[in-house]
Amino acid sequence: MPKERPLWRGAAFRLCVLSAALLLCLQLAVRRSWCPEERPRLPAVAASGRAVPQPRGTAAASGRRRVTYVRSGRRGGRPGRKTARWHIELQPWASPTPSLNYEALRFLKYISTSQISCEHMNLSSLRGNSEVMKRPWSVCLDERFSLIHRLRNKQCRLYSLGLGNDDNQFEISMANSGCEVHRFDPSIKSAHIQEGQHLWYHRLSVDWRDPNPAIAAHKLHSNTKKLGTILNEFGHQKIDVLKADVESAEWKILENLILEDVVEQIGQLVFEVHIHWPGFEVSGNDSTVVRYWYSLLRELELKDFRLFHTYKDLSKPQMLLKKEAFNASSCYTLSWVNTRWK
Ligand SMILES: *[C@@H]1O[C@H](CO)[C@@H](O)[C@H](O)[C@H]1NC(C)=O
Ligand SMILES: *[C@@H]1O[C@H](CO)[C@@H](O)[C@H](O)[C@H]1NC(C)=O
Ligand SMILES: *[C@@H]1O[C@H](CO)[C@@H](O)[C@H](O)[C@H]1NC(C)=O
């Protein structure tokens, strides 16, 4: 056993050097390809060469030497240009004739069943955390997933989408554990606030589309952006954890992340989902809505996300689409880990 250690260390060192080199290449590649593959879907934006006002004054320069190749797959996994998708793939109906009953049963069973087990979800076990969470914002800290390692190496990054009045205990705990935390909250007083060494607040709300460039030009600066846009502007390639508590905007935001492949840049998702009404800009009859929710989550599964924790909030109204039925709660907190993510 002791004889194995130097060997293991040698391998680990080589791996480190390799990943460092890979990271460098990657950063160079991404820096050069400011123009991401989403462009073809936004002709007006592509024509003008800039999507949104740039805070760092780099837009003009990068606009001029705009390269139009598609960002290449980070691990060689993305073959060429993908056809832009406007819609997610809808799953077949749960029953031969569409019925809310069958859709709801299938969906509720799905969100109540973990797909992978996670042993360590307790943030309190990390250094610097004494408080016990009031709410179940569970992340998976098992050794087989990267989060715990990235926390230890202080490489972790958390994005938190919220609306003002929520408690920030989870964010503070993650920041205390060494995670770089970015909290997006449209209600704060100035554009960016830093609180402590690792915690930033940004006056931005994350949406499922960028503002119309014509409108944005008049308004000078907009506080609403897509997550992919924010990542580009901040120069961030990865988010270890994305937490969202956005009062029913989560469905369209999730759809946007899936359609633009932004989910692939995320290690774990912790979403509060609301089912007492369809959600912003989700339409159709009740069975159509539930089928759409279910289909969205199946797309996540297709991208190798696995649900490891599910929490039914019994303190909220117990209803699904305004009906007190199916023993459903209007609110669940769901946590996924991206099993493909390194
Ligand atoms: C809901 O709408 C879908 C699609 O328009 C339709 O196929 C289905 O029959 C409707 N379901 C119910 C229960 O009315
Ligand atoms: C998490 O750990 C703390 C201390 O390590 C313990 O007091 C608390 O009960 C644990 N919480 C859960 C939900 O296991
Ligand atoms: C309803 O849900 C609660 C909480 O999940 C559970 O304890 C209870 O057994 C359920 N009741 C029925 C009738 O399924």
Side-chain angles (χ1 to χ4, degrees), residues 222-259:
S222 165
N223 288 338
T224 300
K225 281 169 187 171
K226 293 190 295 187
L227 192 71
T229 307
I230 294 175
L231 279 167
N232 275 339
E233 290 186 7
F234 282 23
H236 292 163
Q237 269 94 57
K238 286 179 171 187
I239 308 174
D240 292 82
V241 179
L242 176 66
K243 173 199 161 189
D245 182 4
V246 288
E247 304 303 335
S248 300
E250 65 273 5
W251 298 112
K252 290 304 275 189
I253 290 176
L254 190 58
E255 182 190 69
N256 169 255
L257 299 183
I258 290 168
L259 289 178

Side-chain angles (χ1 to χ4, degrees), residues 28-52 54 58-72 78 81 228-229 232-233 260:
L28 287 176
V30 172
R31 237 171 246 169
R32 284 172 53 207
S33 63
W34 141 251
C35 222
E37 58 200 293
E38 72 198 35
R39 274 307 136 76
R41 255 188 279 159
L42 300 164
V45 176
S48 74
R50 53 187 299 190
V52 279
Q54 287 296 290
T58 55
S62 44
R64 239 175 281 126
R65 58 174 182 86
R66 192 158 60 90
V67 201
T68 44
Y69 59 80
V70 173
R71 206 180 344 174
S72 59
R78 257 193 249 173
R81 178 182 288 269
T229 307
N232 275 339
E233 290 186 7
E260 294 187 355

Side-chain angles (χ1 to χ4, degrees), residues 37-298:
E37 58 200 293
E38 72 198 35
R39 274 307 136 76
R41 255 188 279 159
L42 300 164
V45 176
S48 74
R50 53 187 299 190
V52 279
Q54 287 296 290
R56 292 179 302 181
T58 55
S62 44
R64 239 175 281 126
R65 58 174 182 86
R66 192 158 60 90
V67 201
T68 44
Y69 59 80
V70 173
R71 206 180 344 174
S72 59
R74 285 187 304 276
R75 288 166 301 275
R78 257 193 249 173
R81 178 182 288 269
K82 276 190 191 169
T83 339
R85 286 203 297 165
W86 287 90
H87 302 287
I88 59 149
E89 201 71 44
L90 283 180
Q91 294 293 320
W93 294 101
S95 51
T97 327
S99 101
L100 176 61
N101 187 42
Y102 283 105
E103 294 305 321
L105 291 177
R106 175 172 72 170
F107 172 75
L108 291 169
K109 183 171 176 214
Y110 191 83
I111 62 170
S112 310
T113 314
S114 303
Q115 297 162 343
I116 199 168
S117 70
C118 176
E119 259 181 67
H120 305 99
M121 292 187 277
N122 193 345
L123 268 184
S124 314
S125 62
L126 291 172
R127 201 158 42 85
N129 291 310
S130 46
E131 285 184 85
V132 176
M133 291 291 152
K134 284 191 214 92
R135 294 174 72 192
W137 299 110
S138 297
V139 288
C140 187
L141 300 168
D142 283 3
E143 297 283 335
R144 65 186 161 138
F145 300 120
S146 63
L147 181 60
I148 185 68
H149 306 287
R150 290 173 58 90
L151 268 166
R152 284 185 192 133
N153 298 336
K154 309 273 185 258
Q155 291 175 323
C156 158
R157 179 180 296 130
L158 164 75
Y159 270 31
S160 160
L161 321 182
L163 302 166
N165 47 13
D166 319 330
D167 76 281
N168 287 343
Q169 216 186 343
F170 174 72
E171 287 77 0
I172 292 168
S173 294
M174 289 294 279
N176 287 345
S177 311
C179 208
E180 175 189 313
V181 177
H182 296 272
R183 167 111 179 128
F184 298 91
D185 178 347
S187 69
I188 60 167
K189 293 220 169 61
S190 42
H192 305 281
I193 299 174
Q194 185 174 1
E195 214 182 84
Q197 208 186 336
H198 300 294
L199 182 56
W200 283 266
Y201 292 86
H202 307 281
R203 193 175 55 203
L204 276 173
S205 69
V206 172
D207 205 346
W208 50 95
R209 60 191 156 209
D210 279 326
N212 183 326
I215 296 170
H218 292 297
K219 279 181 71 184
L220 273 172
H221 60 84
S222 165
N223 288 338
T224 300
K225 281 169 187 171
K226 293 190 295 187
L227 192 71
T229 307
I230 294 175
L231 279 167
N232 275 339
E233 290 186 7
F234 282 23
H236 292 163
Q237 269 94 57
K238 286 179 171 187
I239 308 174
D240 292 82
V241 179
L242 176 66
K243 173 199 161 189
D245 182 4
V246 288
E247 304 303 335
S248 300
E250 65 273 5
W251 298 112
K252 290 304 275 189
I253 290 176
L254 190 58
E255 182 190 69
N256 169 255
L257 299 183
I258 290 168
L259 289 178
E260 294 187 355
D261 285 338
V262 176
V263 278
E264 293 176 8
Q265 291 168 265
I266 304 172
Q268 300 193 15
L269 293 173
V270 191
F271 269 51
E272 189 168 284
V273 301
H274 301 87
I275 64 174
H276 53 291
W277 70 294
F280 293 103
E281 290 190 19
V282 178
S283 57
N285 59 30
D286 287 353
S287 35
T288 303
V289 167
V290 179
R291 179 197 190 197
Y292 166 76
W293 291 339
Y294 175 73
S295 304
L296 265 179
L297 304 188
R298 289 300 303 270

Side-chain angles (χ1 to χ4, degrees), residues 323-340:
K323 295 171 189 60
E324 283 183 34
F326 312 108
N327 199 23
S329 169
S330 57
C331 176
Y332 292 76
T333 308
L334 308 176
S335 303
W336 288 267
V337 59
N338 179 353
T339 58
R340 223 193 281 172

